[in-house]
């Protein structure tokens, strides 16, 4: 975007650089090829030099299993979670000007269902809290997300060790979580 400003005989042109975006889109399906609606999709920066993406793009799949998110051209991890399915993670190298074909991702049934509540500081509400489950693994960007609704969350994860981080306006918190089976009543 180019904007010119004139001060008498002095003219100044300002150029605001808007980073190019790459669109990542696709469909999420069950093992039989049926769409999975409501899966949480995230694009997580995987290299330390890419951490300036700010808020991680996050969305949900439509009734047809479709999703579309945009990010600057960097190396990212695409993560997906859906109740009753193992979470999905894959690295994507996004290049400026390159066409990325729509992805078709088939989730595998299974995983461990983790349910619980978010405990906030006195007087603060849990709505708008973003829960991040960062798996201790060899893959950078191996992070999965859960929504908090009415103070509660419900996510399906693969067995393993995770760092759980809660992020909301004015408050953050975290704890280690060992996932070995279904868990109910977890407090974060």
């Amino acid at each position: 975007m180019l904007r010119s400003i004139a001060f008498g005989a002095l003219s100044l042109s300002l150029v605001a650089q808007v980073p190019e975006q790459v669109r990542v889109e696709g469909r999420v399906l069950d093992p039989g090829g049926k769409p999975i609606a409501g899966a949480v999709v995230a694009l997580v920066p995987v290299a330390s030099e890419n951490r300036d993406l700010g808020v991680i793009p996050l969305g949900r799949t439509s009734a047809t299993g479709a999703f579309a998110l945009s990010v600057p051209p960097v190396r990212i991890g695409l993560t997906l979670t859906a109740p009753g399915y193992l979470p999905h993670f894959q690295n994507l190298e996004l290049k400026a000007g390159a066409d990325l074909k729509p992805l078709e991702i088939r989730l595998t049934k299974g995983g461990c269902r983790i349910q619980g509540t978010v405990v906030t500081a006195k007087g603060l509400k849990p709505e708008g809290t973003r829960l991040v489950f960062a798996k201790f693994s060899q893959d950078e960007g191996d992070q999965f997300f859960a929504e908090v609704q009415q103070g509660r969350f419900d996510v399906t994860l693969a067995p393993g060790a995770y760092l759980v981080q809660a992020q909301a306006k004015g408050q953050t918190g975290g704890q280690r979580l060992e996932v070995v089976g279904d868990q109910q009543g977890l407090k974060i």
Side-chain angles (χ1 to χ4, degrees):
M1 172 166 72
L2 177 65
R3 180 173 281 165
S4 294
I5 303 172
F7 298 100
L10 178 66
S11 177
L12 176 66
S13 293
L14 302 173
V15 177
Q17 290 193 357
V18 178
E20 184 175 348
Q21 298 280 301
V22 177
R23 185 175 169 95
V24 178
E25 62 185 310
R27 289 186 63 208
V28 179
L29 308 171
D30 71 9
K34 294 180 182 164
I36 298 176
V40 176
V41 183
L43 300 177
V44 181
V46 296
S48 59
E49 67 269 13
N50 297 334
R51 299 284 182 207
D52 64 347
L53 285 176
V55 178
I56 292 172
L58 192 65
R60 286 191 167 272
T61 56
S62 69
T64 62
F67 68 89
L69 296 170
S70 296
V71 292
V74 295
R75 190 168 148 240
I76 56 108
L78 168 70
T79 67
L80 295 157
T81 54
Y85 296 90
L86 285 169
H88 174 83
F89 170 81
Q90 77 183 76
N91 282 317
L92 297 173
E93 187 72 40
L94 305 178
K95 299 192 185 298
D99 288 331
L100 183 65
K101 293 180 181 176
L103 303 168
E104 182 177 289
I105 299 158
R106 291 184 187 247
L107 296 184
T108 303
K109 289 241 181 223
C112 303
R113 189 172 181 185
I114 310 300
Q115 298 172 298
T117 57
V118 174
V119 179
T120 62
K122 188 174 183 176
L124 297 175
K125 298 188 187 284
E127 279 23 271
T129 300
R130 180 181 273 191
L131 290 180
V132 182
F133 295 81
K135 188 172 186 185
F136 292 109
S137 73
Q138 299 287 337
D139 297 314
E140 292 182 83
D142 203 354
Q143 298 177 11
F144 304 97
F145 294 81
E147 282 187 337
V148 176
Q149 296 177 346
Q150 297 177 341
R152 302 194 53 72
F153 67 91
D154 187 349
V155 65
T156 303
L157 299 170
Y162 294 82
L163 174 61
V164 184
Q165 296 174 302
Q167 304 165 346
K169 290 181 182 176
Q171 46 185 337
T172 59
Q175 67 188 56
R176 184 180 169 95
L177 174 65
E178 195 69 39
V179 176
V180 293
D182 292 349
Q183 296 180 36
Q184 296 179 342
L186 186 66
K187 292 186 183 208
I188 297 178

